[in-house]
C-alpha cells in the first residue's frame, strides 16, 4: 500500500489517500482538544495508545459480526482503513451518568442507569454538535430510517461486547461515542476510533478515571491513565 497525499487533518488524526481508491491511511496524533476545540494540549504517546487500542477492539468486534473500517495496522500510529462517507452523527451510549448527561438532566455522575441509553448528536462544530432524535435525522437526510436501524442495532451489540470486555480488566465502561460510515457499495460500518479519547473508563474498584476527562478537567496523570489502559489490555 502506497501512502499518497494528505486528504484531511482533524483534531487528533490525519488521513492520507493511498494508491487504492477504497482505502485510506489514518495517522494518530498526540494532539488533544476539548470543549469544541477551546482547550488544546498534547498527551504524549496518546496516538499510539488510541491506534493500537482501537485496532484491537475493532478486530474483536469484527469477530462478533460488527463490520468495521479496520484493514491493517502499519505501525504504532498508522492504520489502513476502508474509505467511507461518514454519517454525520456522534452516536453516544451511556451505562452510567456522567458529563453532559449529568449536567443536562441533573443526575449525579456515577449513577448507574437502569438500562443503556442512546443519544445522537449532529456533527457540526459551528452548531456545537446539537443532540438530535431519529425524526430530525431522517427528516434532514443525515441517515435513512434503514441505516439508522442498522446503526442502532450495531451500537447496542458493540456496547454489550465492550462492557464485558472492559469488566474483565476491572474497568467500568461509563459511556462512549462512536461513528459510522458508508462504503461506496452502501454498507454501514463502524469507523473512527474507540479509545480513551472517546470513552469514559473508570477503574471498577477505585472509580479512578482512566480517560480523557483527566485532560478535560486538569486532573493530572493524563499520560499515565492512557498507559494504564494500554497495560491492562495488552499486558
Ligand atoms: N465524546 C466524544 N467526542 C465528543 C463528545 C463526546 O468522544 O465530541 C465522548 C466522551 O468521551 C464520552 C461520551 O462521548 O465518553 C459522552 O460525552 P458527553 O456527552 O458527556 O460530553 P462531554 O462531557 O465529554 O462534553
Amino acid at each position: 500500500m502506497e501512502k499518497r497525499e494528505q486528504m484531511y487533518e482533524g483534531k487528533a488524526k490525519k488521513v492520507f489517500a493511498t494508491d487504492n481508491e477504497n482505502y485510506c491511511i489514518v495517522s494518530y496524533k498526540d494532539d488533544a482538544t476539548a470543549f469544541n476545540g477551546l482547550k488544546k494540549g498534547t498527551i504524549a504517546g496518546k496516538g499510539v495508545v488510541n491506534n493500537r487500542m482501537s485496532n484491537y477492539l475493532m478486530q474483536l468486534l469484527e469477530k462478533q459480526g460488527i463490520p468495521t473500517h479496520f484493514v491493517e495496522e502499519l505501525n504504532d500510529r498508522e492504520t489502513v482503513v476502508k474509505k467511507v462517507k461518514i454519517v454525520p452523527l456522534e452516536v453516544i451510549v451511556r451505562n452510567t451518568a456522567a458529563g453532559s448527561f449529568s449536567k443536562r438532566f441533573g443526575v449525579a455522575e456515577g449513577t448507574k442507569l437502569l438500562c443503556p441509553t442512546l443519544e445522537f448528536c449532529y456533527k457540526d462544530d459551528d452548531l456545537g454538535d446539537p443532540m438530535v432524535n431519529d425524526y430530525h435525522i431522517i427528516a434532514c437526510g443525515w441517515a435513512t430510517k434503514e441505516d439508522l436501524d442498522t446503526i442502532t442495532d450495531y451500537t447496542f451489540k458493540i456496547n454489550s461486547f465492550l462492557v464485558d470486555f472492559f469488566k474483565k480488566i476491572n474497568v467500568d465502561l461509563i459511556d462512549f461515542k462512536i461513528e459510522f460510515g458508508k462504503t461506496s457499495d452502501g454498507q454501514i460500518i463502524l469507523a473512527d476510533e474507540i479509545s480513551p479519547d472517546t470513552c469514559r473508563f473508570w477503574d471498577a474498584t477505585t472509580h479512578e478515571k482512566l480517560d480523557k476527562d483527566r485532560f478535560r478537567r486538569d486532573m493530572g496523570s493524563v499520560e499515565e491513565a492512557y498507559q494504564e489502559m494500554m497495560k491492562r489490555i495488552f499486558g
Side-chain angles (χ1 to χ4, degrees), residues 43 45-46 48-54 56-57 162-176 194-204 206-214 221-235:
I43 303 172
K46 169 171 91 76
V48 175
V49 173
N50 290 7
N51 182 46
R52 292 195 54 206
M53 187 191 294
S54 207
Y56 182 66
L57 294 174
L162 292 179
V163 165
D164 290 347
F165 173 84
F166 286 110
K167 197 81 208 163
K168 289 182 197 135
I169 55 171
N170 205 43
V171 167
D172 282 333
L173 178 61
I174 303 302
D175 58 29
F176 61 95
I194 304 175
S195 73
D197 273 15
T198 61
C199 304
R200 284 195 170 96
F201 297 128
W202 292 5
D203 181 277
T206 65
H207 308 304
E208 185 192 2
K209 295 187 194 332
L210 297 171
D211 57 58
K212 195 174 158 188
D213 269 348
R214 302 199 75 87
S221 302
V222 184
E223 278 86 1
E224 289 80 353
Y226 280 71
Q227 292 306 325
E228 176 62 25
M229 284 305 301
M230 184 89 145
K231 201 172 86 193
R232 289 197 196 185
I233 293 172
F234 295 106

Side-chain angles (χ1 to χ4, degrees), residues 14-146:
K14 293 178 183 176
V15 183
F16 297 87
T18 70
D19 51 355
N20 181 329
E21 61 172 3
N22 296 314
Y23 294 152
C24 347
I25 291 172
V26 176
S27 180
Y28 286 78
K29 307 190 285 184
D30 286 350
D31 297 351
T33 62
F35 312 119
N36 201 6
L38 237 55
K39 183 181 172 79
K40 289 192 175 70
T42 312
I43 303 172
K46 169 171 91 76
V48 175
V49 173
N50 290 7
N51 182 46
R52 292 195 54 206
M53 187 191 294
S54 207
N55 291 342
Y56 182 66
L57 294 174
M58 294 233 183
Q59 289 173 81
L60 294 180
L61 287 167
E62 287 273 358
K63 288 192 193 138
Q64 301 295 315
I66 307 293
T68 79
H69 74 168
F70 177 80
V71 178
E72 185 193 359
E73 186 169 286
L74 294 177
N75 55 53
D76 269 0
R77 286 180 187 272
E78 293 183 314
T79 297
V80 181
V81 299
K82 289 177 195 151
K83 192 190 241 173
V84 293
K85 197 162 175 273
I86 288 286
V87 177
L89 297 173
E90 299 201 329
V91 181
I92 296 175
V93 181
R94 301 176 189 273
N95 298 300
T96 297
S100 68
F101 184 96
S102 292
K103 220 174 255 166
R104 180 178 293 120
F105 301 125
V107 179
E109 275 216 331
T111 307
K112 178 94 184 106
L113 300 173
L114 298 176
C115 64
T117 70
L118 180 62
E119 282 165 25
F120 299 108
C121 295
Y122 173 52
K123 265 169 69 78
D124 185 312
D125 283 342
D126 294 337
L127 298 176
D129 299 338
M131 198 200 279
V132 293
N133 68 26
D134 297 46
Y135 290 94
H136 301 145
I137 294 166
I138 295 160
C140 293
W142 296 319
T144 62
K145 169 94 175 67
E146 195 193 8

Side-chain angles (χ1 to χ4, degrees), residues 66 91-94 117-120 148-162 176 178-180 190:
I66 307 293
V91 181
I92 296 175
V93 181
R94 301 176 189 273
T117 70
L118 180 62
E119 282 165 25
F120 299 108
L148 204 53
D149 288 345
T150 305
I151 287 171
T152 301
D153 174 52
Y154 287 163
T155 298
F156 282 116
K157 285 187 180 137
I158 292 166
N159 183 52
S160 304
F161 178 78
L162 292 179
F176 61 95
I178 48 181
E179 295 182 24
F180 291 87
L190 178 63

